[in-house]
Amino acid sequence: MIDSFEKNPISIHENNKAAAKAVAAEIAALIREKAKKDQPCILGLATGSTPKTLYAELVRLHREEKLSFKNVITFNLDEYYPMQPDAKQSYHNFMHTHLFGHIDIDPKNIHIPDGTIDKSKIHAYGVEFDKQIELAGGIDLQVLGIGLNGHIGFNEPGASRNSITRLAALDNGTRLANAYEFDNISQVPRLSITMGISTILKAKRIVMMAFGASKAAIVHIAVEGQITDKVPASFLQEHTNCTYFLDEASAQELTRITSPWLTGEIEWTEKMIRKAVCTMAAEEKKPLLMLTRDDYYHAGLADLLEKHGTVSDINLKVFNGLRDTITGWPGGKPNEDVPRHPERRNPASKRVIIFSPHPDDDIISMGGTFNRLVQQGHDVHVGYQTSGNIAVSDEFVMRQIDFTVEFDNAFNIDKSRSAKIWEDALTFIKGKTPHQKDTQEIRDIKGMIRRTEARATCRYVGVKDQNIHFMNLPFYETGLIQKNPPTEADIQIHIDLIKKIKPHQIFAAGDFADPHGTHKVCFDVMLAALQRLKAANDESVKECRLWLYRGAWAEWEMWNIDMAIPMSPDQVLQKRNGIFIHQSQKDGVVFQGADSREFWQRAEDRNAGTADLFDQLGLPQYAALEAFMRFEY
Ligand code: F6R
């Protein structure tokens, strides 16, 4: 039944590496098959963040499994216009850095649109580019990524089905999404040369890759929606050999995931029942206890009724389940036996670790709960996993050094040293090129700034100084957006802290959609530490429950919420002031992304949104709710 929703075949993988490996294997097989027949293999290639893991895997295949690219001819989808090929942000440079510089392809077999061509000649150039593809025998396999607005190549919404390689304007949203490659948004070109939609559709095989939660909505629309020029990727539905390779996050809005009861047989677990009923209630805009038999039939839930009793039984069961998640006692309610309370009441005072990937996720994501845990007498520790130093602006650093110079002058403290740091920093920052790595000194200062903010927040909430732990995970310390792969050292730092504290509760970020992947790595190494301790029967985790909060980007779905902590309007304000303490992250941040809201606004919108959802389902009305999912490790 999936086929009645999805108009392209879809291959879902555990993560982007696994998906990239599958695509690389297909490409490698094709190259080898062609080589055997002494034929060229014509590949269409994309740039952007998505195919990086694919290219890394192809490079590995070349190095370790002798995959040769001698018979490969490539055509790239697009290039910014105007753009010098040797510019850092050019797609020429991208391809050289990620693929061509590491394989044995013949340079004359590489074709990337030329961003330096005279404007008046671009039309002829585009016609010629497409002719070159045809002369080579047509593209055997085209790799694509998808833009947040559904663009393919740089064919933005409105592009014609019949378009050929040409000059095309970039949407402002695309420019914003790609601004991270440039110094600032104003430097992102407004134009590009891109293969047209008809050029792309002529490929014999198309592999579309999309990773991460940010792509989930557009993947759903492109694959399940109508074909329309408003969503250029929807034209791929016309192609008879185009497969989407997704990770779990980008697949999450497909009907087979959001409403699996519509696409096949399913097992009605408690979570699945909650998911089905909450989804139906949201669609019908009805409180849970008002849902009728007709609603169940409309929502395709006859099967649920057949297997699990009457409408009122199911409504009530889901209602009670959600009601029981709400508590003002995140560490358990002492001295009172509350049946079905999400936490144990004993011990009344628990040892708690809040793991915060960046120095402000604790307060942004669970500030209300953080505060309650401290107020309710638990021994709350915070483990700040990374230094967060890349997210501090140069201007902010200079202001702090300036202060230090003044301070040292005023109190006669080793003036020459601070003056020298000031001089060095000034010279470096003046000559700094976009995305250049900071000096170690500046990175250290940026880390210090974030530590002082985190400590101030802890003081504000009431955490003891000795309970603040700066873990400075090594994987993060590259000074660049691109981080190192995590290692044993990152896991060991967690093990040491957990063994020292012996927590009854751990709160950790289970938000895997953060733009630079830091939350996910922090989660993975924390989980590895917990699992190792558990496997070794270590005392430190015997009584430890793991609760996951979500970061600033999204909330847990209703059916995944196991504990919901309400906040009064006053508590919302108190949390806001706690977030304000992170001054280096206020009034616009270094990596703003497409969402122009500040972190306190995102947090408030999200917490109020969760409260609204409970309210709409007929549960009590609160100003805000912070939600947690229990995770069995
Ligand atoms: C890149 C290209 C674009 C990207 C798309 C997704 O050559 O043509 O269509 O594939 O913008 O970009 P990322 O992968 O950076 O999310």
Side-chain angles (χ1 to χ4, degrees):
M1 281 191 282
I2 283 177
D3 296 349
S4 57
F5 291 93
E6 294 168 8
K7 321 278 179 17
N8 289 104
I10 292 196
S11 170
I12 303 175
H13 298 261
E14 196 188 337
N15 52 43
N16 68 8
K17 275 212 182 100
K21 227 175 156 66
V23 175
E26 180 175 335
I27 293 176
L30 185 68
I31 295 175
R32 287 187 171 124
E33 181 196 316
K34 293 272 183 179
K36 242 192 218 156
K37 294 189 208 150
D38 236 354
Q39 288 172 353
C41 179
I42 322 297
L43 298 179
L45 299 177
T47 55
S49 58
T50 309
K52 282 185 189 167
T53 40
L54 166 66
Y55 297 151
E57 174 63 7
L58 287 174
V59 170
R60 191 196 68 77
L61 287 171
H62 170 67
R63 286 192 182 146
E64 294 174 17
E65 298 183 23
K66 298 196 172 65
L67 175 66
S68 168
F69 290 77
K70 285 261 185 269
N71 65 326
V72 172
I73 301 177
T74 63
F75 289 89
N76 260 78
L77 278 169
D78 41 22
E79 175 60 285
Y80 290 114
Y81 185 85
M83 182 58 72
Q84 291 299 323
D86 56 0
K88 197 159 178 269
Q89 296 89 353
S90 81
Y91 287 166
H92 282 74
N93 182 38
F94 177 100
M95 290 309 298
H96 185 80
T97 307
H98 293 281
L99 185 64
F100 299 148
H102 314 284
I103 57 175
D104 61 345
I105 190 166
D106 184 342
K108 73 173 186 317
N109 287 346
I110 296 172
H111 306 82
I112 304 176
D114 180 355
T116 66
I117 222 105
D118 190 85
K119 232 184 197 164
S120 62
K121 299 198 175 112
I122 293 182
H123 177 70
Y125 177 81
V127 172
E128 181 58 27
F129 194 83
D130 286 4
K131 203 160 123 202
Q132 288 296 321
I133 297 177
E134 234 169 84
L135 284 175
I139 290 175
D140 294 307
L141 186 148
Q142 172 71 53
V143 175
L144 291 182
I146 186 168
L148 293 174
N149 58 5
H151 73 210
I152 48 176
F154 278 138
N155 296 284
E156 303 282 21
S160 156
R161 158 73 180 78
N162 301 320
S163 50
I164 62 162
T165 299
R166 69 199 186 290
L167 191 66
L170 298 184
D171 261 11
N172 216 37
T174 301
R175 294 181 64 238
L176 260 175
N178 292 8
Y180 72 94
E181 296 166 355
F182 294 80
D183 208 8
N184 60 53
I185 175 81
S186 65
Q187 292 184 5
V188 185
R190 291 171 191 280
L191 297 170
S192 69
I193 301 183
T194 178
M195 276 190 201
I197 295 180
S198 81
T199 321
I200 293 171
L201 288 176
K202 278 187 196 136
K204 293 166 200 151
R205 162 89 172 133
I206 297 180
V207 166
M208 163 64 95
M209 299 196 295
F211 304 136
S214 65
K215 298 283 172 76
I218 194 64
V219 165
H220 171 226
I221 294 170
V223 174
E224 297 193 20
Q226 301 289 323
I227 298 180
T228 161
D229 66 5
K230 293 193 176 72
V231 183
S234 67
F235 287 120
L236 298 172
Q237 293 179 18
E238 286 179 15
H239 199 279
T240 50
N241 192 11
C242 166
T243 303
Y244 278 66
F245 284 76
L246 306 178
D247 62 358
E248 285 174 0
S250 64
Q252 72 194 1
E253 290 194 26
L254 296 173
T255 302
R256 68 158 105 178
I257 310 282
T258 57
S259 310
W261 48 90
L262 296 177
T263 57
E265 269 290 305
I266 53 156
E267 192 195 335
W268 286 110
T269 59
E270 234 175 81
K271 275 207 169 164
M272 190 59 83
I273 295 176
R274 203 199 267 185
K275 177 171 177 161
V277 175
C278 289
T279 306
M280 161 174 52
E283 261 160 35
E284 298 295 331
K285 295 194 173 49
K286 277 188 174 179
L288 292 168
L289 298 179
M290 298 292 281
L291 292 165
T292 64
R293 170 169 287 272
D294 273 356
D295 296 329
Y296 275 73
Y297 275 87
H298 281 156
L301 292 174
D303 180 57
L304 172 60
L305 284 183
E306 216 165 88
K307 294 186 180 139
H308 285 271
T310 68
V311 170
S312 23
D313 282 350
I314 301 176
N315 287 352
L316 198 61
K317 191 175 165 166
V318 173
F319 179 90
N320 288 343
L322 274 173
R323 184 201 55 199
D324 293 339
T325 65
I326 304 173
T327 174
W329 299 86
K333 190 160 191 183
N335 311 322
E336 240 176 277
D337 199 10
V338 188
R340 295 172 62 92
H341 192 284
E343 252 304 346
R344 303 145 292 177
R345 70 182 158 135
N346 289 321
S349 168
K350 294 189 171 59
R351 288 184 298 276
V352 180
I353 305 179
I354 297 174
F355 281 117
S356 183
H358 300 99
D360 53 357
D361 290 304
D362 51 351
I363 189 81
I364 291 174
S365 305
M366 54 171 288
T369 307
F370 186 5
N371 199 54
R372 277 185 194 257
L373 285 164
V374 175
Q375 298 311 317
Q376 290 168 0
H378 300 287
D379 184 25
V380 180
H381 293 252
V382 190
Y384 293 105
Q385 290 163 294
T386 71
S387 70
N389 57 7
I390 64 162
V392 178
S393 71
D394 296 337
E395 190 271 332
F396 208 88
V397 173
M398 294 314 287
R399 217 193 300 168
Q400 302 294 322
I401 309 178
D402 193 10
F403 171 84
T404 311
V405 174
E406 281 248 10
F407 182 92
D408 291 355
N409 273 335
F411 300 108
N412 248 337
I413 307 169
D414 196 9
K415 275 185 271 189
S416 56
R417 180 74 188 119
S418 49
K420 169 90 171 56
I421 294 175
W422 168 257
E423 280 301 319
D424 289 351
L426 202 61
T427 317
F428 175 79
I429 286 171
K430 267 192 189 148
K432 192 174 164 184
T433 54
H435 302 290
Q436 189 182 345
K437 201 176 180 164
D438 283 325
T439 60
Q440 189 60 46
E441 218 157 52
I442 293 179
R443 277 152 66 191
D444 288 346
I445 297 168
K446 289 183 172 179
M448 281 175 219
I449 291 170
R450 299 215 65 183
R451 281 199 293 281
T452 59
E453 291 172 344
R455 273 197 292 266
T457 308
C458 283
R459 278 197 295 275
Y460 174 75
V461 177
V463 174
K464 293 181 270 189
D465 275 0
Q466 66 268 30
N467 284 13
I468 306 171
H469 310 273
F470 292 105
M471 301 164 74
N472 291 318
L473 295 185
F475 87 88
Y476 185 89
E477 294 305 315
T478 58
L480 300 167
I481 292 180
Q482 188 76 28
K483 306 296 185 295
N484 289 325
T487 64
E488 263 310 295
D490 300 293
I491 299 175
Q492 195 56 47
I493 292 171
H494 283 87
I495 291 183
D496 293 345
L497 187 61
I498 295 169
K499 280 181 86 128
K500 188 167 140 200
I501 314 292
K502 301 186 183 55
H504 300 97
Q505 291 187 307
I506 286 179
F507 289 84
D511 179 296
F512 308 138
D514 77 310
H516 307 141
T518 299
H519 284 215
K520 173 82 173 98
V521 178
C522 286
F523 176 75
D524 288 346
V525 290
M526 187 275 311
L527 186 62
L530 270 179
Q531 287 173 334
R532 255 190 235 178
L533 288 166
K534 188 177 176 190
N537 249 330
D538 196 280
E539 282 298 318
S540 61
V541 295
K542 281 246 156 76
E543 294 182 69
C544 181
R545 282 194 188 173
L546 174 58
W547 292 98
L548 302 186
Y549 60 86
R550 281 223 159 157
W553 291 272
E555 181 57 279
W556 292 114
E557 305 80 6
M558 285 310 268
W559 46 93
N560 278 324
I561 295 176
D562 294 311
M563 180 157 71
I565 311 296
M567 293 161 77
S568 67
D570 280 350
Q571 287 168 325
V572 171
L573 275 182
Q574 197 178 5
K575 171 169 170 174
R576 183 190 298 179
N577 289 328
I579 299 175
F580 281 178
I581 292 174
H582 292 270
Q583 288 180 349
S584 72
Q585 306 301 301
K586 239 201 129 308
D587 304 326
V589 288
V590 179
F591 303 104
Q592 184 75 49
D595 187 341
S596 61
R597 291 172 305 165
E598 289 192 30
F599 285 121
W600 66 273
Q601 292 170 309
R602 298 184 204 193
E604 281 185 20
D605 288 353
R606 202 191 68 181
N607 295 155
T610 310
D612 277 350
L613 284 176
F614 273 72
D615 181 31
Q616 282 159 28
L617 293 174
L619 289 140
Q621 189 181 8
Y622 295 101
L625 281 169
E626 287 176 345
F628 300 86
M629 181 178 89
R630 173 132 178 236
F631 193 94
E632 299 291 345
Y633 57 91

